[in-house]
Amino acid sequence: MNSGIDLQGTFIKSVMDLGLPAGTAKALWMPLPMILMLIGATVGVLVCVWLERKISAAAQQRIGPEFIGAFGLLAPVADGLKLVFKEDIVPGKADPWLFTLGPIIVVLPVFLSYLIVPFGQNLVITDVSMGVFLWIALSSIQPIGLLMAGYASNNKYSLLGGLRAAAQSISYEIPLALSVLAIAMMSNSLSTIDIVNQQSGYGILGWNIWRQPVGFLIFWIAALAECERLPFDLPEAEEELVAGYQTEYSGMKFALFYLSSYVNLVLSALLVSVLYLGGWDFPIPLNTIASLLGISEANPVLQVVTAGLGITMTVIKAYLLVFIAILLRWTVPRVRIDQLLDLGWKFLLPVGLVNLLLTAALKLAFPVAFGG
């Protein structure tokens, strides 16, 4: 299999050629992917905010942002600057420590989760053997921050929003984990790299969405609920709770909640593309095309093309899912809290269990197709 370009190996070798020891070369490499992750995630948020406005405007047959820069591209930047310079207020009877820690605990796990997202065979910050469940574990920390923010605000609307966030997260984490477990069972691994490799070789026909259509729907619905996107934005329902746990927040603390929401949406879209849509895999196997053209897999040009196409395919698939999520926000009405919990516990949970058992049976019956 063509593994594409190895950025880490190339960088370390180049630094060692300058006369530095291997340990120093590795130490110099370590902060680079993390800085790229932070920059990429932040740019992804700005793009998402712009897409949210333009797609919602198209859905409602209006223009959307147009005069703040070309095509309104500077509108998200203006939002960010406004929140940076806005006064940071702590309510008089709020708990200042918990009030400050809340948004920090919410945003940190989301950024850490980007460590496991692969954009190519060697284009991943860290290939953790328990990668997908590391993401689930990190995402389960978020409700603590939301509940902390709601409780510390000393506001009944904030407290209700925090309680709703905790209940919602617990309800949808279990179906999410069950759908991931079915993928792990077929891939015989929890590593995101191994999951994509298991889908490669047959192009679009090898993607997990064809073998796990029910798991795909469960994962996507649960991911939208975890991101608190409409129709699942009960914790911050402005008609009922003013703004939920965000009610008393302003300035950069509010910006952290805003940032985590969109970063989480992009992260969920990337993980869906990795788990179900072949990740960096091209719809037509590149190895087949290369062999037909008589190009060797070791060809450096082919490796660069493979790496570039891998990043492009991952981003395009994630964009498609973000587009669907934004369109759903302006199409589907918000559910009630009882409907939200019923959907999680009475529908998605049993369907997830049945899907897991069915996957196990198919793995035994058809080991070639289901990763025996």
Side-chain angles (χ1 to χ4, degrees):
M1 183 182 296
N2 187 358
S3 61
I5 190 167
D6 185 0
L7 288 179
Q8 181 178 355
T10 306
F11 178 86
I12 291 172
K13 185 178 181 300
S14 301
V15 173
M16 288 174 66
D17 289 343
L18 296 174
L20 293 174
T24 307
K26 289 179 181 178
L28 288 172
W29 165 261
M30 285 177 64
L32 291 180
M34 296 178 189
I35 293 168
L36 286 174
M37 173 197 72
L38 289 171
I39 294 171
T42 307
V43 171
V45 168
L46 296 176
V47 172
C48 262
V49 172
W50 182 78
L51 284 173
E52 183 92 63
R53 289 177 167 172
K54 296 299 278 189
I55 294 168
S56 62
Q60 298 171 13
Q61 295 184 344
R62 54 188 176 84
I63 297 172
E66 195 174 42
F67 302 107
I68 314 174
F71 308 106
L73 287 171
L74 294 179
V77 179
D79 282 344
L81 289 172
K82 176 185 70 176
L83 290 169
V84 166
F85 290 108
K86 199 169 184 181
E87 185 181 0
D88 184 20
I89 299 170
V90 178
K93 294 186 178 180
D95 186 314
W97 283 103
L98 295 182
F99 190 80
T100 304
L101 278 174
I104 296 171
I105 291 175
V106 167
V107 79
L108 273 180
V110 186
F111 276 103
L112 286 173
S113 299
Y114 272 82
L115 296 171
I116 63 158
V117 178
F119 291 89
Q121 181 77 16
N122 294 304
L123 296 174
V124 61
I125 295 175
T126 175
D127 182 14
V128 185
S129 59
M130 297 280 288
V132 184
F133 272 89
L134 174 65
W135 167 61
I136 293 174
L138 287 170
S139 66
S140 65
I141 298 172
Q142 265 195 312
I144 300 171
L146 299 177
L147 190 59
M148 190 182 292
Y151 171 77
S153 296
N154 194 31
N155 179 309
K156 61 182 178 182
Y157 297 113
S158 300
L159 180 60
L160 283 171
L163 290 171
R164 280 186 177 187
Q168 180 170 320
S169 180
I170 293 166
S171 301
Y172 284 86
E173 267 178 17
I174 302 172
L176 187 77
L178 289 174
S179 61
V180 170
L181 199 57
I183 293 291
M185 188 183 293
M186 290 198 310
S187 305
N188 300 311
S189 174
L190 291 170
S191 164
T192 48
I193 298 284
D194 292 342
I195 289 170
V196 176
N197 285 336
Q198 178 259 339
Q199 299 173 71
S200 63
Y202 301 98
I204 192 171
L205 297 176
W207 295 355
N208 280 334
I209 190 171
W210 310 119
R211 289 172 289 184
Q212 285 288 315
V214 177
F216 168 76
L217 290 174
I218 293 171
F219 188 97
W220 185 233
I221 292 169
L224 288 177
E226 291 281 319
C227 295
E228 295 166 17
R229 298 282 305 178
L230 262 165
F232 305 113
D233 68 333
L234 274 296
E236 53 195 57
E238 63 273 7
E239 296 95 337
E240 306 163 36
L241 303 180
V242 187
Y245 55 83
Q246 302 176 4
T247 301
E248 301 292 349
Y249 282 89
S250 64
M252 275 308 295
K253 292 191 181 80
F254 175 80
L256 287 177
F257 283 124
Y258 193 71
L259 186 69
S260 71
S261 172
Y262 279 101
V263 172
N264 207 2
L265 175 62
V266 176
L267 175 67
S268 299
L270 285 168
L271 284 169
V272 172
S273 72
V274 166
L275 296 178
Y276 293 97
L277 302 177
W280 67 81
D281 204 25
F282 200 67
I284 303 170
L286 288 177
N287 292 343
T288 305
I289 298 173
S291 62
L292 288 173
L293 296 173
I295 301 172
S296 169
E297 286 190 11
N299 190 307
V301 175
L302 179 63
Q303 290 192 347
V304 173
V305 170
T306 302
L309 274 177
I311 296 171
T312 306
M313 288 308 303
T314 309
V315 171
I316 287 174
K317 292 168 187 175
Y319 164 76
L320 175 65
L321 293 160
V322 169
F323 176 83
I324 292 170
I326 293 172
L327 203 59
L328 280 172
R329 175 177 180 177
W330 302 99
T331 308
V332 184
R334 177 185 292 126
V335 298
R336 297 193 313 267
I337 186 67
D338 60 315
Q339 294 171 331
L340 176 87
L341 297 176
D342 283 350
L343 176 66
W345 290 107
K346 296 183 179 178
F347 182 75
L348 291 183
L349 180 59
V351 170
L353 284 168
V354 170
N355 179 64
L356 184 62
L357 291 172
L358 191 60
T359 303
L362 289 170
K363 184 179 171 73
L364 293 173
F366 307 101
V368 175
F370 287 86

